[in-house]
Amino acid sequence: MTSVPMFRIPRPFDMHTHLRQGPLMRLVTRLTARHFDGAIVMPNTNPPILTGEDACRYQSDIMRSARGANASFLPLTLIKLTMETTPDIIIQAKKLGVVAAKMYPVGVTTNSADGVDLDKLRELYPTFKAMEDTGVILCIHGEVGGDVFVLDREEFFFEYLRQLHRDFPTLRIVLEHITTKAAVDLVRNLGKTVAASITLHHLFLTLNNVLCDPVGAGEFLRPHHACRPYAKRPEDRDALVRAAISGDPKFFWGTDSAPHPFDKKEADCCAAGVWTTPVALPLLVELFEKHEALERLAGFSSQFGLAFYGIKRRTRMLTMVKRAWTVPLAYDVRNGAKFVTKIVPFRAGQKISWKVARY
Ligand code: DOR
Ligand code: ZN
């Protein structure tokens, strides 16, 4: 009898995810809570999470949804920065336990029409100062909008990151879901108050997987691989992998798992987002195993992010087992017994070699 490889790791903490609202939130939260100890939850819902009170209400909804799957799941709900976010809103949010606020430049991604106008960034300086003073972290969607060529949008954002870091040197900043070698190099060279999250899908995809995948079978658009910021060149993807397995605590895991109903993805003008929740941890293990870096998995997937945020957790362990399984083609979203829609996971219909054995 051959023995099945198995090992235990601390439950990961997802430093960037989207749990949405309503029936979609209930499904996605349950699945997230099975594999994760907790998550930093993005505020770009509709309506958005704009104040500490909003964040507390949203957090309670999520905790109720997670209860059956993992009663100790900790969702940390962020507030969204708009041009109307005052220092007082930050101070109140901090009092209510909000750990970070998310800045979306106007129009760069899902539900960001009310985001921050980068031409008027200085108008928000009192708000950034309040964040720096109170220790509320600034999470940034690091892309410019407008008519800048889409593949250059991340690099065009760097000047704003440098400016914020220069003017608020003790403000902790997370450049979210970085996609380029240039971003890895920049974050590495900035001070210790700047870190970056790296998603699951940007460790696997290049732009080829969005525009012409599978290679050799004709050329197809893959809307389930379309996200913001887009996956870039192979050398960018490889730089992200090197950063993830490097053991450098400036780089930590945030899946940016972003579900949309299938008809919003398989559509003209499709929604941006890759929903990775059910496969994220198994695929990350596969990747670290391939690079003989399993001993650095816990740093990237739980410890570095929590340390940057200053969050202390007594994290429970999770058992991974090497047993192949096939990813479902879709997951049904239900409201009670009533079918609402379905969502399509990353790697739908494909085989994955690692599995979460017990949770
Ligand atoms: O692809 C993305 N989807 N990127 C984001 O920044 C937002 C997210 C979403 O909320 O759908
Ligand atoms: Zn996101």
Side-chain angles (χ1 to χ4, degrees):
M1 212 173 79
T2 56
S3 70
V4 184
M6 193 182 263
F7 69 96
R8 283 164 70 71
I9 47 164
R11 275 171 181 266
F13 204 101
D14 190 344
M15 304 312 292
H16 180 141
T17 196
H18 297 267
L19 297 180
R20 310 303 195 204
Q21 291 152 304
L24 186 52
M25 174 192 74
R26 290 194 281 277
L27 170 69
V28 172
T29 297
R30 269 200 314 280
L31 294 168
T32 306
R34 280 184 193 168
H35 292 187
F36 291 88
D37 183 43
I40 300 290
V41 185
M42 293 299 134
N44 63 332
T45 47
N46 186 14
I49 309 301
L50 298 175
T51 64
E53 287 79 11
D54 293 346
C56 288
R57 257 193 309 275
Y58 188 35
Q59 184 182 48
S60 308
D61 288 349
I62 295 167
M63 282 170 122
R64 217 170 304 121
S65 301
R67 217 169 275 156
N70 170 2
S72 60
F73 180 72
L74 178 65
L76 296 171
T77 44
L78 304 196
I79 60 167
K80 186 188 201 180
L81 286 182
T82 71
M83 296 311 290
E84 272 72 57
T85 310
T86 59
D88 207 44
I89 290 176
I90 297 294
I91 292 162
Q92 289 305 324
K94 172 71 181 182
K95 280 189 190 145
L96 291 171
V98 171
V99 296
K102 174 77 182 277
M103 174 170 122
Y104 293 95
V106 176
V108 292
T109 190
T110 308
N111 297 337
S112 59
D114 57 352
V116 169
D117 181 347
L118 292 175
D119 293 335
K120 298 183 180 155
L121 201 55
R122 281 176 191 280
E123 289 179 18
L124 276 181
Y125 268 30
T127 302
F128 295 132
K129 181 79 178 80
M131 293 175 69
E132 187 176 44
D133 290 346
T134 54
V136 171
I137 291 173
L138 174 63
C139 299
I140 300 181
H141 182 114
E143 283 191 295
V144 299
D147 54 10
V148 173
F149 180 59
V150 73
L151 299 184
D152 293 335
R153 289 178 182 194
E154 186 172 271
E155 289 199 46
F156 272 53
F157 185 83
F158 291 174
E159 65 172 280
Y160 298 101
L161 176 63
R162 285 198 194 91
Q163 176 189 329
L164 285 169
H165 180 48
R166 183 195 63 220
D167 294 345
F168 301 95
T170 65
L171 172 64
R172 280 171 295 164
I173 300 177
V174 182
L175 185 62
E176 300 288 344
H177 44 54
I178 56 171
T179 62
T180 54
K181 179 177 183 306
V184 171
D185 293 342
L186 176 66
V187 169
R188 197 166 267 145
N189 289 322
L190 291 176
K192 65 178 189 326
T193 50
V194 179
S197 66
I198 301 178
T199 77
L200 188 276
H201 47 284
H202 289 114
L203 293 171
F204 284 86
L205 302 177
T206 71
L207 194 59
N208 274 14
N209 302 112
V210 185
L211 300 181
C212 48
D213 185 15
V215 173
E219 292 189 325
F220 302 107
L221 274 175
R222 299 293 300 273
H224 294 290
H225 292 168
C227 63
R228 295 298 176 87
Y230 281 112
K232 305 285 186 328
R233 306 178 70 86
E235 48 273 36
D236 291 312
R237 190 240 353 245
D238 296 347
L240 295 175
V241 171
R242 281 198 303 277
I245 65 173
S246 68
D248 182 342
K250 274 181 160 248
F251 301 96
F252 44 76
W253 201 28
T255 64
D256 197 16
S257 183
H260 291 276
F262 81 100
D263 55 334
K264 294 273 189 311
K265 292 292 293 174
E266 296 174 19
D268 190 22
C269 230
C270 86
V274 183
W275 183 53
T276 52
T277 300
V279 298
L281 183 57
L283 281 177
L284 193 73
V285 170
E286 232 173 75
L287 184 80
F288 273 63
E289 182 189 35
K290 180 173 142 201
H291 291 278
E292 299 178 357
L294 280 175
E295 77 283 1
R296 291 198 285 275
L297 182 67
F300 180 67
S301 64
S302 64
Q303 293 155 357
F304 298 159
L306 289 173
F308 187 81
Y309 274 70
I311 299 166
K312 294 206 170 26
R313 289 285 281 171
R314 185 153 350 110
T315 307
R316 288 182 302 143
M317 303 297 277
L318 197 66
T319 302
M320 299 298 303
V321 57
K322 198 164 194 176
R323 188 182 300 139
W325 61 289
T326 303
V327 182
L329 291 174
Y331 287 66
D332 286 353
V333 179
R334 295 181 179 279
N335 194 3
K338 189 167 164 279
F339 173 82
V340 178
T341 187
K342 57 184 183 176
I343 49 177
V344 176
F346 186 52
R347 294 280 173 92
Q350 295 184 32
K351 273 213 158 54
I352 292 194
S353 56
W354 284 95
K355 214 177 166 163
V356 177
R358 281 193 288 278
Y359 36 77

